[in-house]
Amino acid sequence: MASSISSAVTTQQQPISTQDESSQNSATRPLQIAKRLEKFKTTIFTQMSSLAIKHGAINLGQGFPNFDGPEFVKEAAIQAIRDGKNQYARGYGVPDLNSAVADRFKTDTGLAVDPEKEVTVTSGCTEAIAATILGLINPGDEVIVFAPFYDSYEATLSMAGAKIRSITLKPPNFSIPIDELKSAVSKNTRAILMNTPHNPTGKMFTREELNVIASLCIENDVLVFSDEVYDKLAFEMDHISIASLPGMYERTVTLNSLGKTFSLTGWKIGWAIAPPHLTWGVRQAHAFLTFATSTPMQHAAAAALRAPESYYEELRRDYNVKKNILVEGLKSVGFTVFPSSGTYFVVVDHTPFGQENDVAFCEYLIKEVGVVAIPTSVFYLNPEEGKNLVRFTFCKDEGTLRSAVERMKEKLLKK
C-alpha cells in the first residue's frame, strides 16, 4: 500500500543535493544501514507526529503529555544547575538518586535493594532496556515478548542478535494465553521481556498470570526483563512487580523511569534494578552506550521520587478523569473500545469506519478528521495481527481531549 505514512519515511531519508559535485555524487548512492536494522526505518511515532504538524491535527498518538511536570521537581533541577552540579555524574548514577530509587522500590514492593550494587541510572527507560538486552543477551539467544509490544523491543533485540519469539495478547482483555506460553518456554529460552501496565493495550498482568510466568522461569532458568514505567498509572488493580514474587528477584531486571509518572518525558531519566550478577552486564553495556545521564536532572529526579503518596493518588485521579473523557467519547463516536486498566493508552477497533487497515484509518483520521492515533500493526512481528486496532493516548489536558472527541463526532458520525 503506497501510503503517505510510508512515504514520509522515504522522504525523510532522501539525501539532500548541494552545488558541490562530490556531494551530488554522494547523494546518488543508495542508503546504507546494518541489515539488522533495515526493516525499522523511522519510528511510527516520529512519522505520525510529523503528519500531525503538517495537517494541524490534535495529537493523541505519541505518549507525551501536553502539560508540564510539577514545579517542585523543576525547581530542584534549576537549583542543581545553580549549585554547579553540571559535570559528568558517575556512570551508574548520583548516590542520592540511586538511594531514592531503592527507597521507592522498597515502598512499592517490600524489597530492600543495595543502591550502590543493584541500581543503575540510565538515559530513560529505553536505554535501560537496551543496556539490559545488550548486556545480558547473546546472539542466538531466544527471548519471548508479548505482542503488541513497544517498538524498541524488537529493534534492540535485533541489534543484540536475539531470536525473538512472540506470544500474542488478543482483545478484548488481552489475557496471556497460558497454554501457549507454557509450550513456548523451554530450556532454550534465555529471557522473557514483559511490560505491565502494558503499552499499547493498557492491560495489567494479573497475579495469576505473573505466578505462571514466575514458575516457568524458575523451572527453566529463564530471566525476566520487566518494563514497569507505567506502574503509578494503575487504575483498576494494584500493580505487582514480578521481582517481588518468591524466587524471582534473583532472575529479574526491573526497568522504570521518571518521565511518565512526573510528566517530564524529555528529561530521559531511567533506571534498572537487578541483583549484582545481572547488574554487572547491564552496567557494562550502559558504560558504552551513554556512560552517564544528565547530572542536574538526576538530582531533581531524587527529589521527585521522594514525593508524598498524595502525589501519586492525585496523579491517578487526574488521569482517571482524562481516561473517562476519551473512553466515553470514543464509544459515542462508534469505536469498539477495549478495557484499559493502566498506562495512559486506550486501544480500539477501527473497523466500523470502513478503512482497509490501521494505517489507512490513521491516515484518514489525520487528513480528514484532524486527530492522530497510532496504528498498532507496528507493534507485532506479524503486522496482520494488529491491522484492526489503533491506539489513542489520554495524556493530554481535558480541553484537548474534548476537542479531539468533538472533531471525531463531527466527521466520523456522518459515515
Side-chain angles (χ1 to χ4, degrees):
M1 170 180 165
S3 70
S4 63
I5 290 179
S6 58
S7 68
V9 179
T10 306
T11 301
Q12 288 183 19
Q13 294 180 336
Q14 290 297 319
I16 300 172
S17 61
T18 69
Q19 297 301 315
D20 181 80
E21 184 177 347
S22 63
S23 297
Q24 289 178 335
N25 291 338
S26 175
T28 64
R29 295 176 182 173
L31 299 174
Q32 297 185 33
I33 188 171
K35 290 186 181 299
R36 61 186 175 271
L37 290 175
E38 275 182 336
K39 68 169 285 187
F40 297 105
K41 300 181 182 178
T42 306
T43 74
I44 192 66
F45 306 107
T46 299
Q47 295 172 47
M48 301 307 286
S49 293
S50 296
L51 287 173
I53 294 169
K54 179 179 179 181
H55 293 279
I58 297 173
N59 194 346
L60 303 189
Q62 193 167 1
F64 59 83
N66 68 340
F67 46 86
D68 214 352
E71 289 299 320
F72 80 94
V73 185
K74 293 187 292 182
E75 287 300 322
I78 293 167
Q79 190 60 49
I81 292 169
R82 287 177 173 155
D83 289 346
K85 296 173 179 176
N86 299 305
Q87 307 309 322
Y88 287 130
R90 66 178 185 179
Y92 57 92
V94 300
D96 194 33
L97 178 54
N98 288 61
S99 295
V101 169
D103 291 345
R104 185 72 244 173
F105 194 61
K106 185 175 183 181
T107 298
D108 292 340
T109 67
L111 295 171
V113 300
D114 186 333
E116 294 299 299
K117 297 179 180 178
E118 299 178 289
V119 176
T120 305
V121 176
T122 59
S123 296
C125 191
T126 300
E127 197 236 319
I129 293 164
T132 298
I133 291 171
L134 295 172
L136 297 172
I137 297 298
N138 291 305
D141 281 351
E142 180 183 271
V143 178
I144 292 173
V145 297
F146 296 101
F149 44 74
Y150 179 53
D151 65 341
S152 85
Y153 294 177
E154 184 186 359
T156 308
L157 288 167
S158 296
M159 284 190 273
K163 177 184 176 184
I164 307 171
R165 185 161 185 172
S166 175
I167 292 177
T168 301
L169 309 179
K170 298 178 181 178
N173 296 318
F174 299 99
S175 299
I176 294 176
I178 297 298
D179 290 341
E180 184 181 348
L181 179 62
K182 288 180 177 178
S183 298
V185 178
S186 71
K187 301 295 183 184
N188 295 323
T189 307
R190 170 65 171 162
I192 295 175
L193 174 53
M194 56 176 280
N195 172 213
T196 181
H198 182 257
N199 173 15
T201 68
K203 169 197 168 50
M204 291 183 64
F205 286 34
T206 65
R207 183 173 292 275
E208 291 73 23
E209 289 173 327
L210 293 174
N211 282 335
V212 170
I213 295 171
S215 64
L216 290 170
C217 289
I218 292 168
E219 179 184 347
N220 294 280
D221 193 22
V222 174
L223 302 177
V224 171
F225 306 151
S226 185
D227 174 356
E228 302 180 9
V229 295
Y230 297 100
D231 62 337
K232 295 297 181 290
L233 294 175
F235 304 116
E236 296 169 14
M237 63 182 76
D238 291 335
H239 168 75
I240 303 168
S241 290
I242 194 168
S244 67
L245 300 185
M248 286 306 295
Y249 181 74
E250 65 190 54
R251 61 181 66 255
T252 301
V253 182
T254 304
L255 307 154
N256 212 320
S257 74
L258 187 80
K260 305 300 190 294
T261 305
F262 290 92
S263 303
L264 296 165
T265 59
W267 285 21
K268 299 297 289 180
I269 303 293
W271 53 86
I273 302 171
H277 66 279
L278 299 179
T279 290
W280 173 249
V282 175
R283 288 185 178 181
Q284 286 296 95
H286 166 66
F288 297 105
L289 286 170
T290 62
F291 172 65
T293 295
S294 171
T295 302
M297 300 316 186
Q298 286 196 57
H299 286 281
L305 290 179
R306 295 191 173 103
E309 290 302 314
S310 58
Y311 172 82
Y312 302 104
E313 293 165 4
E314 184 177 352
L315 181 77
R316 283 188 290 272
R317 280 197 302 270
D318 287 349
Y319 269 115
N320 241 331
V321 172
K322 298 176 190 298
K323 174 186 169 184
N324 289 334
I325 292 171
L326 181 60
V327 167
E328 294 308 311
L330 292 170
K331 287 179 179 178
S332 71
V333 171
F335 288 101
T336 300
V337 182
F338 299 113
S340 174
S341 300
T343 74
Y344 42 48
F345 301 114
V346 174
V347 167
V348 304
D349 186 329
H350 67 81
T351 55
F353 302 100
Q355 299 295 323
E356 61 180 304
N357 57 40
D358 58 327
V359 173
F361 176 78
C362 287
E363 280 199 332
Y364 171 80
L365 194 67
I366 290 173
K367 295 176 181 177
E368 303 299 329
V369 182
V371 175
V372 181
I374 295 292
T376 68
S377 57
V378 299
F379 302 136
Y380 294 80
L381 291 184
N382 175 11
E384 283 293 304
E385 293 183 326
K387 69 178 183 178
N388 293 338
L389 306 176
V390 297
R391 188 197 78 179
F392 290 91
T393 184
F394 51 89
C395 60
K396 311 297 176 183
D397 63 75
E398 294 179 24
T400 297
L401 294 170
R402 294 185 194 280
S403 295
V405 168
E406 287 307 310
R407 287 188 182 189
M408 287 187 281
K409 284 181 178 179
E410 179 183 351
K411 298 292 179 65
L412 293 178
L413 283 176
K414 293 178 180 179
K415 289 188 69 66

